[in-house]
Amino acid sequence: MNNLVSIKSATLSEDIAQQLSNAIVQGDIPQGSKISEPELAKQYGVSRGPLREAIVKLEGLGLVTRTANVGARVIQLNTQDMLDTFSMREALEGMAARLAATSMPRNEVNRLYALLDKHQAYLDDNQDEHYVQQGGNDDFHLRIIHASGNAKLVRLLTEELYAVIRMYRRHTADQRSDPRQALREHRAILDAIANHEGDLAELLMRRHISRASHLLKQAMELSSLASQ
Amino acid sequence: MNNLVSIKSATLSEDIAQQLSNAIVQGDIPQGSKISEPELAKQYGVSRGPLREAIVKLEGLGLVTRTANVGARVIQLNTQDMLDTFSMREALEGMAARLAATSMPRNEVNRLYALLDKHQAYLDDNQDEHYVQQGGNDDFHLRIIHASGNAKLVRLLTEELYAVIRMYRRHTADQRSDPRQALREHRAILDAIANHEGDLAELLMRRHISRASHLLKQAMELSSLASQ
DNA sequence: AATAAGCATATTGTCGACAATGTGATGTTT
DNA sequence: AAACATCACATTGTCGACAATATGCTTATT
């Protein structure tokens, strides 16, 4: 019964929430599908108590919607919601870049330049195939967010919104073309931060995300994944 | 057992979450105090099941923090967290104002001008005492947020962040002085929106919130409520 | 007397069972 | 045959009880 990856956490509910979140983001539980409490409880080998707690958490993350006396459903990605989410990202990560420009320590700036060099080398070696940054420490955006020094902002972006954002990345086959362009934009943002130009850093970050949003929109409208 | 205000909702858990949220925002449950599940369950006349669900929701709203095997505690307001929260507000409501400038229908613009006139009249009649806008339909900021037309933004600001924001307003005795100045700023923002000047609307909204943040900071540093 | 170990108690985490609600099928009526 | 009512079933909501963990006190030891 106990499922494959069981990262022993302090409490069952946390474990289940983590696993369910991953399962949804990666599409193992398909979009729009119903979440059956008895079924999942049996599948994960726990009772319905902790499972329900996990579902409530997922609702807070916006990964499922719940209706009283009916149950929970996995969200259905669509273009409008994506655009809405990315508008929020634009505002929030723009603010993060602005803050980072005044508070990022010099050595972290250097580490980020090194990271971008690494990304560059990867593109050179893998004929421009997109770098797989699955939310780890190699994710440029996460590093900027953390450098903002705003704990609330970090929590919101990395714990509450990131699951959905990763879902959009994942399910559009990440075909937002031209990773070299994205890399150039990252470098420009970092330059602005290194020079403590908060206004410019915010502007560049917003353009960068706005552009990604446009590309994603085109991809979703062409792809059957969006309307399916 | 059953507590005073019981707005019969579809489910007990929703009810309790709502009541607990209000109790925390209004200070009936003091900051930093421990949330005892058995005690509250008895107090509200329910079992621990729905109560726990409510607590999990409150954790998602950032009103309490939970530690495994230890329990939940009401958050403790402090200046740094307030500044962090208001930076996010600045970014998000700035974006909302920008979006509202392009999507707010003419008649809603007119209704908002009427609302500001009403606020003006209130100040004239009540020797500048601050208008009590307890998150209702008379709240200028809420109206702007809804006018953004961004459903995700609305949910985030009005359901997830607003409880904490109201808490800051409440516990600083709302002594952010000069309501007439605030009203002037509201009017300037609305003018920009009416003229479809998104850039300006965003700029003004950000300044407006930034200013409120500074005032709140001063109030908190002077007041014992902040460090108490 | 101060510190540490151990124990008693209370609280949280988890479970299984019952109650309430929604859902789909069956059958009846027009 | 179509629409509606009724009923059986499955799922969600709620409850009380047990297990696991933390906390505070007592006691023993140095």
Side-chain angles (χ1 to χ4, degrees):
Chain A
M1 327 293 184
N2 229 350
N3 235 24
L4 308 161
V5 217
S6 64
I7 322 102
K8 269 287 166 285
S9 187
T11 166
L12 278 184
S13 145
E14 288 177 33
D15 252 346
I16 308 284
Q18 192 63 48
Q19 298 200 31
L20 273 184
S21 170
N22 287 336
I24 290 175
V25 169
Q26 298 187 332
D28 298 337
I29 303 178
Q31 294 178 35
S33 65
K34 183 157 186 337
I35 300 280
S36 165
E37 291 182 8
E39 181 185 329
L40 279 185
K42 192 163 58 180
Q43 186 173 334
Y44 285 102
V46 299
S47 90
R48 278 178 52 219
L51 190 93
R52 274 177 74 89
E53 225 177 277
I55 293 179
V56 172
K57 283 179 191 162
L58 291 196
E59 186 187 21
L61 296 184
L63 286 178
V64 306
T65 58
R66 288 200 329 149
T67 318
N69 293 315
V70 173
R73 276 193 178 281
V74 178
I75 57 162
Q76 184 85 260
L77 297 188
N78 67 294
T79 307
Q80 188 57 53
D81 280 0
M82 187 277 289
L83 290 176
D84 285 2
T85 303
F86 272 64
S87 283
M88 285 177 24
R89 262 193 85 188
E90 187 182 320
L92 291 170
E93 292 203 34
M95 173 61 78
R98 164 184 294 275
L99 295 174
T102 70
S103 68
M104 187 186 284
R106 188 69 225 175
N107 55 353
E108 172 67 359
V109 172
N110 292 333
R111 278 195 295 269
L112 274 184
Y113 272 120
L115 174 64
L116 293 186
D117 288 343
K118 183 173 152 191
H119 286 174
Q120 178 93 49
Y122 183 89
L123 291 181
D124 290 342
D125 293 351
N126 298 65
Q127 47 225 356
D128 290 8
E129 192 177 324
H130 192 274
Y131 194 94
V132 276
Q133 48 190 17
Q134 48 182 350
N137 203 34
D138 278 5
D139 189 319
F140 180 76
H141 286 264
L142 283 183
R143 298 281 281 269
I144 302 291
I145 291 165
H146 279 105
S148 73
N150 184 324
K152 298 277 190 177
L153 190 60
V154 170
R155 176 173 184 257
L156 177 60
L157 277 169
T158 67
E159 291 177 26
E160 300 193 32
L161 289 182
Y162 227 66
V164 179
I165 293 172
R166 278 172 58 207
M167 207 166 156
Y168 279 108
R169 278 189 185 171
R170 185 87 169 64
H171 289 273
T172 47
D174 225 343
Q175 60 197 9
R176 43 172 187 155
S177 57
D178 207 350
R180 287 191 181 275
Q181 170 66 15
L183 184 54
R184 274 193 296 273
E185 291 173 3
H186 283 180
R187 207 173 284 276
I189 293 168
L190 186 53
D191 284 343
I193 291 175
N195 292 330
H196 304 297
E197 299 177 288
D199 288 345
L200 181 58
E202 173 167 18
L203 176 74
L204 292 176
M205 178 63 88
R206 284 176 70 152
R207 280 201 190 154
H208 173 59
I209 292 177
S210 174
R211 181 173 159 279
S213 167
H214 285 307
L215 291 177
L216 251 182
K217 183 187 176 194
Q218 291 175 345
M220 288 180 73
E221 282 172 350
L222 293 181
S223 149
S224 62
L225 287 167
S227 55
Q228 170 254 30
Chain B
M1 332 286 184
N2 231 351
N3 234 28
L4 308 162
V5 215
S6 65
I7 322 101
K8 268 290 167 280
S9 186
T11 165
L12 278 184
S13 145
E14 287 177 34
D15 252 345
I16 308 285
Q18 192 63 47
Q19 299 200 31
L20 273 183
S21 170
N22 286 338
I24 291 175
V25 168
Q26 300 189 333
D28 299 337
I29 305 179
Q31 294 177 35
S33 66
K34 184 158 185 337
I35 301 278
S36 164
E37 293 182 6
E39 181 185 330
L40 280 185
K42 192 165 58 182
Q43 186 173 332
Y44 284 102
V46 299
S47 89
R48 278 179 53 219
L51 189 92
R52 274 178 73 89
E53 225 177 277
I55 293 179
V56 172
K57 283 178 190 163
L58 291 195
E59 186 187 22
L61 296 184
L63 285 178
V64 306
T65 58
R66 287 198 332 148
T67 318
N69 294 314
V70 173
R73 274 193 178 282
V74 178
I75 57 162
Q76 184 85 259
L77 297 188
N78 67 293
T79 307
Q80 186 57 53
D81 281 0
M82 186 277 288
L83 290 176
D84 285 2
T85 303
F86 273 63
S87 283
M88 284 177 27
R89 263 192 83 188
E90 187 183 319
L92 291 170
E93 292 203 34
M95 173 61 78
R98 163 184 294 276
L99 296 174
T102 70
S103 67
M104 187 185 284
R106 188 69 226 175
N107 55 353
E108 172 68 0
V109 172
N110 292 334
R111 278 196 295 267
L112 275 183
Y113 272 119
L115 175 64
L116 293 187
D117 287 343
K118 183 173 151 192
H119 286 174
Q120 178 94 50
Y122 182 90
L123 292 181
D124 290 343
D125 292 351
N126 299 67
Q127 49 226 355
D128 291 8
E129 192 175 324
H130 192 275
Y131 193 94
V132 275
Q133 48 192 16
Q134 48 184 349
N137 204 33
D138 277 4
D139 189 321
F140 181 75
H141 286 264
L142 283 183
R143 297 282 281 268
I144 302 291
I145 291 165
H146 279 105
S148 72
N150 184 325
K152 298 277 190 176
L153 190 60
V154 171
R155 176 174 184 258
L156 177 61
L157 277 169
T158 67
E159 292 178 26
E160 300 193 30
L161 289 181
Y162 227 65
V164 178
I165 293 172
R166 277 173 58 208
M167 207 165 157
Y168 279 108
R169 278 190 186 169
R170 187 87 169 64
H171 290 274
T172 48
D174 225 342
Q175 61 196 9
R176 43 174 184 152
S177 55
D178 206 351
R180 288 192 180 273
Q181 169 67 15
L183 185 54
R184 275 193 296 274
E185 291 172 2
H186 283 180
R187 209 173 281 277
I189 292 168
L190 186 54
D191 284 343
I193 291 175
N195 292 330
H196 305 296
E197 299 177 288
D199 287 346
L200 182 58
E202 173 167 17
L203 177 74
L204 292 176
M205 178 62 88
R206 285 176 69 152
R207 279 200 192 156
H208 174 60
I209 293 177
S210 174
R211 181 173 160 280
S213 166
H214 285 307
L215 290 178
L216 251 182
K217 183 186 176 193
Q218 291 175 346
M220 288 181 74
E221 281 172 351
L222 292 181
S223 149
S224 62
L225 288 167
S227 55
Q228 170 253 31

